[in-house]
Amino acid sequence: GQLSGQHGVNLNMISSPNKHMEHLEDNVINNGVVGARDSIKFLQSLRNMLSGDSTQAVNTTVKWDGAPAVIVGRKEGKLFVATKSYFSKDSKYYQSVSDINKADIPEDLKYKLNACLYYLKDLKCDKVIQGDLLFTNKDLHITTIDGEEMILFHPNTIVYAVPKKSALGQSILTSALGIVWHTVYDDNNADYDFNINMVNKLKDVFMIDANYHDVSGTATFTKNENKEVTEILSNAGKVFKKIDSRLLNNIALDKHCVSMIKIHYNLMVRDGNIVTDSRKHVNSLQRFLKDRAAKEIDALKTDKGKEKKEDTLANVLFLASCSPMKLQPIFELQKLLVDAKLLIIKKLNNAAKLKTFLKTSKGYKLTGEEGYVAISNGNAVKLVDRLEFSYANFSDTIIKGWNNDTRN
């Protein structure tokens, strides 16, 4: 039916296994009223944490921009390494150099998996754990930035730079392999937080977990910053009350609506745009939905097929033609959530231990971390500056650390 009936929507922000995590603002669309309320609460909790008066723990982890994903564990006592294909129906994993070399995967990925198999051979862990590869020793480069010798590694989109003379730099320089662990799985492939103490230290391996350490003190809002975030969140609460809850919940229940709204948003990001005016954004979205639906319907040759597709996209067509005023509060709320999120990311970046850059044809451009994951009461969302990081990820002007698809 059309977007009118009342439905409840369950919040389920964590997927298992850990393949995909949603952006905080997208949970307004993914999970309706519950998702919108939870997103506001998430940001309030982070605001409280950074104000130094948090009463509820919010664990924040850094989203390291490593590649490829590495899964390790033991089968019959013998170590295996794998990429995310370990979780596919036709599970793939490797326990020997021969297994890896026979696999139909790129040569660069074979080299990296062989390095993992060799240097992680003495890893003691009775669970399956997942991480992201940061570097092998041949990926480390030394260069001078702002007069200081820096060790660089460039696993994916972001270039990480560590002062060569620092303890961290020396630790990296003497390692043959660098990996950030972030997820551990139980016997049912249900994921949960990783703690670096779960594994033993290895001589030639630089290993860290993704937990964001010691944010108190180095990343605390000033009075004015706290006031600014609080004002945005207060406005978000007011806008939330104006939203038609039936409409929002039914958008969340229609996969075609959710998908097309996200496609429209991601196309904006790729073009380097951000929502500054929710009214203009709604107008743009409605044109996009109308054109996209018409294109899918016109692609079918028979009247029966066209009619069936119209029924399938009934809710999309409704959104494309309904009063923009009904939609505006939804996207105004998303805009406010992004505004608050970016202030929080900026503050968290101030306390980052590493310098992060984007590599361009003209040199290195300072950037923020890929982002953070905020975890509260078992729910997790991504906090990412989409305009900066996602745009960089798709941009031809940013030189990537990969030249084939070894990221998976």
Side-chain angles (χ1 to χ4, degrees), residues 167-223:
L168 184 62
Q170 288 303 303
S171 176
I172 288 170
L173 206 55
T174 55
S175 298
L177 191 74
I179 194 161
V180 53
W181 300 116
H182 53 71
T183 309
V184 80
Y185 297 94
D186 63 17
D187 295 334
N188 299 312
N189 273 352
D191 59 347
Y192 54 96
D193 290 350
F194 179 86
N195 185 308
I196 197 68
N197 295 323
M198 297 178 75
V199 295
N200 55 307
K201 289 183 180 178
L202 297 174
K203 183 188 170 191
D204 296 312
V205 185
F206 172 77
M207 292 193 296
I208 50 172
D209 62 28
N211 289 318
Y212 189 94
H213 300 286
D214 189 28
V215 294
S216 60
T218 49
T220 306
F221 279 137
T222 64
K223 197 173 180 181

Side-chain angles (χ1 to χ4, degrees), residues 246-276:
R246 291 183 180 185
L247 176 66
L248 181 57
N249 279 347
N250 279 292
I251 287 172
L253 288 169
D254 190 302
K255 65 180 182 182
H256 301 287
C257 289
V258 171
S259 172
M260 288 195 192
I261 289 169
K262 286 186 183 177
I263 289 168
H264 173 256
Y265 196 102
N266 287 331
L267 287 171
M268 279 182 54
V269 170
R270 285 192 187 202
D271 289 337
N273 296 319
I274 194 167
V275 180
T276 53

Side-chain angles (χ1 to χ4, degrees), residues 81-152:
V81 297
T83 62
K84 285 183 185 176
S85 55
Y86 174 76
F87 295 115
S88 63
K89 196 174 179 182
D90 179 24
S91 181
K92 291 185 176 67
Y93 60 90
Y94 312 99
Q95 290 188 283
S96 70
V97 172
S98 174
D99 287 348
I100 293 169
N101 291 343
K102 284 189 290 189
D104 184 20
I105 54 176
E107 290 301 316
D108 185 41
L109 183 54
K110 287 181 182 179
Y111 173 82
K112 288 177 177 176
L113 288 176
N114 272 319
C116 289
L117 192 67
Y118 180 78
Y119 289 108
L120 299 175
K121 60 182 180 293
D122 295 324
L123 191 71
K124 294 184 179 112
C125 186
D126 58 357
K127 302 285 185 184
V128 172
I129 55 176
Q130 180 177 343
D132 292 311
L133 191 66
L134 295 175
F135 60 84
T136 62
N137 54 5
K138 77 170 190 177
D139 300 318
L140 299 175
H141 304 283
I142 296 174
T143 191
T144 301
I145 299 176
D146 294 336
E148 186 173 17
E149 271 198 309
M150 308 288 274
I151 303 163
L152 302 186

Side-chain angles (χ1 to χ4, degrees), residues 175-381:
S175 298
L177 191 74
I179 194 161
V180 53
W181 300 116
H182 53 71
T183 309
V184 80
Y185 297 94
D186 63 17
D187 295 334
N188 299 312
N189 273 352
D191 59 347
Y192 54 96
D193 290 350
F194 179 86
N195 185 308
I196 197 68
N197 295 323
M198 297 178 75
V199 295
N200 55 307
K201 289 183 180 178
L202 297 174
K203 183 188 170 191
D204 296 312
V205 185
F206 172 77
M207 292 193 296
I208 50 172
D209 62 28
N211 289 318
Y212 189 94
H213 300 286
D214 189 28
V215 294
S216 60
T218 49
T220 306
F221 279 137
T222 64
K223 197 173 180 181
N224 284 340
E225 287 168 339
N226 188 51
K227 185 181 175 185
E228 188 178 3
V229 176
T230 300
E231 199 171 300
I232 293 169
L233 292 175
S234 173
N235 288 336
K238 290 171 188 171
V239 170
F240 177 56
K241 289 175 183 173
K242 295 178 184 176
I243 290 173
D244 181 332
S245 59
R246 291 183 180 185
L247 176 66
L248 181 57
N249 279 347
N250 279 292
I251 287 172
L253 288 169
D254 190 302
K255 65 180 182 182
H256 301 287
C257 289
V258 171
S259 172
M260 288 195 192
I261 289 169
K262 286 186 183 177
I263 289 168
H264 173 256
Y265 196 102
N266 287 331
L267 287 171
M268 279 182 54
V269 170
R270 285 192 187 202
D271 289 337
N273 296 319
I274 194 167
V275 180
T276 53
D277 184 326
S278 55
R279 188 179 299 177
K280 286 181 181 175
H281 181 69
V282 168
N283 291 337
S284 169
L285 173 65
Q286 288 191 303
R287 284 194 302 272
F288 175 80
L289 294 177
K290 186 178 178 183
D291 293 346
R292 184 91 178 200
K295 197 172 180 181
E296 289 194 19
I297 292 163
D298 292 343
L300 298 169
K301 293 177 181 175
T302 66
D303 289 342
K304 192 175 180 182
K306 289 177 190 288
E307 199 174 308
K308 191 176 177 184
K309 180 61 79 171
E310 279 182 15
D311 286 343
T312 302
L313 298 179
N315 288 332
V316 173
L317 292 165
F318 172 78
L319 288 183
S321 60
C322 74
S323 164
M325 298 297 285
K326 287 180 77 70
L327 295 177
Q328 194 178 335
I330 295 170
F331 295 96
E332 179 65 20
L333 175 61
Q334 271 198 317
K335 175 193 168 299
L336 290 167
L337 292 174
V338 170
D339 289 346
K341 178 186 79 168
L342 291 177
L343 288 172
I344 287 166
I345 289 172
K346 184 180 177 183
K347 183 52 70 172
L348 289 170
N349 278 346
N350 284 348
K353 291 180 181 177
L354 304 182
K355 289 187 178 181
T356 50
F357 299 86
L358 295 172
K359 189 177 182 181
T360 72
S361 56
K362 295 177 181 176
Y364 293 101
K365 176 189 171 196
L366 193 64
T367 187
E369 301 276 3
E370 178 185 345
Y372 305 88
V373 177
I375 304 151
S376 180
N377 295 328
N379 295 323
V381 286

